[in-house]
């Protein structure tokens, strides 16, 4: 309650400073988001996942395929090369925040069971990790990366003071 009252008192002053508002949003999301994901993850039941691995795999596959069907055509509209189109599609195939929020809503309103929640959240998390690993391993557009500066050649080690003395 005190934070709410302080917010109301400072709303007029703080509301005029747009950079401060952006900083406060960043700070708020940076502080609160980890607690949300810890809470959502603590409700996952590992025994329920072990009991129904096929449900998890089906949800993961369905989520990845449906996201790819939605994203890949958009990359083709912008005429992205195939390698970059697949890379973009795989990276855009996540839905971590909305997926966990909707699953938690379903669990808290008793629309889904604990076992269903566990399979959903595990599939949502896996759908963020698996496509990212695949994209970076096989479809990373290396031609767009800046080259790294190499260290000095190995011949510099041969020019040590001990070698010059001899």
């Amino acid at each position: 309650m005190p934070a709410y009252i302080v917010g109301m008192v400072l709303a007029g002053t703080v509301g005029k400073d747009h950079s401060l508002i952006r900083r406060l949003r960043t700070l708020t999301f940076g502080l609160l988001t980890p607690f949300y994901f810890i809470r959502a993850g603590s409700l996952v039941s590992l025994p329920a996942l072990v009991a129904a691995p096929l449900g998890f795999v089906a949800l993961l596959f369905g989520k990845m395929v449906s996201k790819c069907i939605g994203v890949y055509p958009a990359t083709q509209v912008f005429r992205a090369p195939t390698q970059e189109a697949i890379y973009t599609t795989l990276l855009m195939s996540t839905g971590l925040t909305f997926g966990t929020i909707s699953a938690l809503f379903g669990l808290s309103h008793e629309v889904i069971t604990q076992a269903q929640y566990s399979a959903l959240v595990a599939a949502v998390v896996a759908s963020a990790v698996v496509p990212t690993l695949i994209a970076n391993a096989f479809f990373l557009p290396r031609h767009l990366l800046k080259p790294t500066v190499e260290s000095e050649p190995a011949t510099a080690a041969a020019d040590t003071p001990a070698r010059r003395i001899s």
Side-chain angles (χ1 to χ4, degrees), residues 3-93:
Y4 181 74
I5 293 171
V6 169
M8 285 178 30
V9 170
L10 295 176
T13 309
V14 174
K16 295 175 185 171
D17 189 358
H18 294 291
S19 65
L20 179 60
I21 291 172
R22 280 193 299 262
R23 289 180 189 150
L24 287 173
R25 282 182 191 154
T26 303
L27 181 66
T28 302
F29 286 122
L31 289 175
L32 296 179
T33 302
F35 292 110
Y36 166 74
F37 282 110
I38 289 170
R39 165 99 168 102
S42 68
L43 297 173
V44 172
S45 169
L46 292 179
L49 282 175
V50 172
L54 194 58
F56 161 73
V57 171
L59 288 170
L60 174 62
F61 183 74
K63 185 168 182 353
M64 287 178 57
V65 168
S66 63
K67 287 284 194 159
C68 289
I69 288 171
V71 175
Y72 188 76
T75 62
Q76 297 306 297
V77 168
F78 292 100
R79 296 188 175 113
T82 303
Q83 184 91 359
E84 292 174 34
I86 295 172
Y87 182 75
T88 301
T89 299
L90 288 170
L91 290 184
M92 296 296 290
S93 293

